[in-house]
């Protein structure tokens, strides 16, 4: 469903992505792991058209991603951000309704019904009228997931969805993501949550310095990595001093 071929990206002469190539099948959950600055988030931003690669190709559902079709691509591939990116002056319900109404031109009554059902799905139906400032970080992120689902995408990209949360709030967000995976949602997840990757991911890609160093089934990469760089990273993440 998503295919990247020899994708390169640089910022101010600094190469962030160095020939990234991988594909994702429909219904697959793929976790991107690796140290900060390895290019994981840039991969997601290129898939969703927030960044334009300097070279290579990205294809989503058979259609090459370019400036002319970003609206169609984003209707198929939604994104959940690290910092929530909710509209502060709109309620949870209004945030979830926004995309269907403004982008897909769905009637407000239908969009409202869809939004209420999705807020119920993420456990926030009773907070539909609350504004972002009245919600915890974990609740805001769950609204962000509901907002992504409101577009009825074929896949969702998660950019470190729990890294800005207090530890006690992480579980609620991961629970929603696990449920989506169980329902067959195609997901690409940049994460430092190794437990989530081990339990939920079909595949794990380990990135370092803009390249994919190692990839394979989650159990293989996380329990028995073949590359020394992967082993060093996992040792530091799983057994910090």
């Amino acid at each position: 469903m998503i295919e990247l071929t020899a994708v390169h990206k640089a910022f101010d002469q600094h190469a962030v992505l160095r020939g990234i190539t991988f594909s994702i099948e429909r219904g697959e959950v793929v976790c991107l792991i690796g140290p900060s600055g390895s290019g994981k988030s840039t991969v997601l931003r290129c898939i969703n058209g927030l960044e334009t690669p300097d070279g290579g190709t990205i294809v989503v559902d058979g259609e090459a991603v370019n400036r002319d079709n970003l609206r169609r691509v984003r209707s198929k591939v939604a994104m959940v951000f690290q910092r929530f990116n909710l509209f502060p002056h709109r309620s949870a319900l209004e945030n979830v309704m926004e995309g269907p109404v403004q982008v897909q031109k769905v009637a407000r009554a239908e969009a409202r019904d869809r939004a209420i059902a999705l807020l119920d799905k993420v456990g926030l139906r009773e907070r539909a009228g609350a504004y972002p400032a009245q919600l915890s970080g974990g609740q805001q992120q769950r609204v962000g997931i509901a907002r992504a689902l409101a577009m009825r995408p074929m896949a969702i990209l998660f950019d470190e969805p729990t890294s800005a949360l207090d530890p006690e709030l992480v579980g609620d967000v991961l629970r929603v993501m696990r449920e989506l995976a169980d329902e067959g949602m195609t997901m690409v997840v940049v994460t430092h949550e190794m437990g989530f990757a081990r339990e939920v991911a079909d595949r794990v890609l380990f990135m370092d310095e803009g390249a994919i160093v190692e990839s394979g089934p989650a159990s293989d990469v996380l329990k028995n990595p073949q590359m020394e760089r992967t082993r060093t990273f996992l040792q530091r993440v799983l057994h910090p001093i």
Side-chain angles (χ1 to χ4, degrees):
M1 182 189 162
I2 300 172
E3 186 172 7
L4 290 78
T5 305
V7 174
H8 290 261
K9 180 66 180 178
F11 296 107
D12 298 326
Q13 308 302 315
H14 173 63
V16 178
L17 300 180
R18 307 170 185 261
I20 298 294
T21 296
F22 68 91
S23 61
I24 298 167
E25 300 297 328
R26 193 178 305 274
E28 193 174 22
V29 178
V30 174
C31 283
L32 304 184
I33 66 171
S36 297
S38 59
K40 306 182 301 296
S41 294
T42 304
V43 168
L44 298 192
R45 294 176 66 84
C46 286
I47 294 172
N48 205 40
L50 293 170
E51 301 287 353
T52 302
D54 300 321
T57 59
I58 300 174
V59 176
V60 172
D61 192 33
E63 186 171 25
V65 178
N66 57 52
R67 293 178 181 176
D68 297 328
N69 63 9
L70 288 184
R71 176 167 286 194
R72 288 198 303 276
V73 169
R74 289 171 183 165
S75 71
K76 296 178 180 180
V77 182
M79 192 156 176
V80 174
F81 297 89
Q82 177 179 348
R83 293 287 175 179
F84 321 137
N85 285 15
L86 300 179
F87 294 111
H89 59 292
R90 293 181 179 168
S91 68
L93 180 66
E94 291 166 339
N95 266 281
V96 178
M97 290 176 59
E98 179 74 10
V101 170
Q102 298 299 326
V103 178
Q104 298 178 332
K105 307 305 179 185
V106 173
R108 291 191 64 83
E110 179 183 343
R112 186 177 188 279
D113 289 344
R114 187 187 303 182
I116 290 173
L118 289 169
L119 288 172
D120 187 48
K121 181 181 182 68
V122 300
L124 291 173
R125 183 187 183 107
E126 294 183 356
R127 303 307 308 276
Y131 289 84
Q134 299 171 314
L135 300 172
S136 70
Q139 290 172 331
Q140 289 185 61
Q141 192 59 290
R142 282 186 280 153
V143 173
I145 294 172
R147 178 179 60 181
L149 289 169
M151 299 296 287
R152 295 182 173 169
M154 301 172 70
I156 302 181
L157 313 176
F158 291 87
D159 188 7
E160 299 193 35
T162 61
S163 63
L165 303 180
D166 292 334
E168 66 268 25
L169 303 177
V170 168
D172 288 338
V173 174
L174 293 181
R175 174 185 55 78
V176 172
M177 294 172 65
R178 285 188 180 95
E179 290 173 358
L180 292 178
D182 290 342
E183 293 167 4
M185 174 61 71
T186 306
M187 297 163 58
V188 188
V189 185
V190 171
T191 185
H192 292 292
E193 298 288 342
M194 296 301 122
F196 174 84
R198 184 168 49 249
E199 294 170 20
V200 179
D202 298 299
R203 276 190 298 145
V204 168
L205 309 184
F206 172 69
M207 291 185 62
D208 190 36
E209 296 184 351
I212 297 174
V213 175
E214 186 166 354
S215 67
S219 58
D220 292 349
V221 174
L222 296 176
K223 293 181 180 178
N224 187 32
Q226 300 301 301
M227 305 301 292
E228 179 61 31
R229 182 66 186 93
T230 314
R231 288 195 291 270
T232 301
F233 171 79
L234 290 173
Q235 179 69 23
R236 290 176 175 170
V237 171
L238 298 174
H239 305 286
I241 297 175

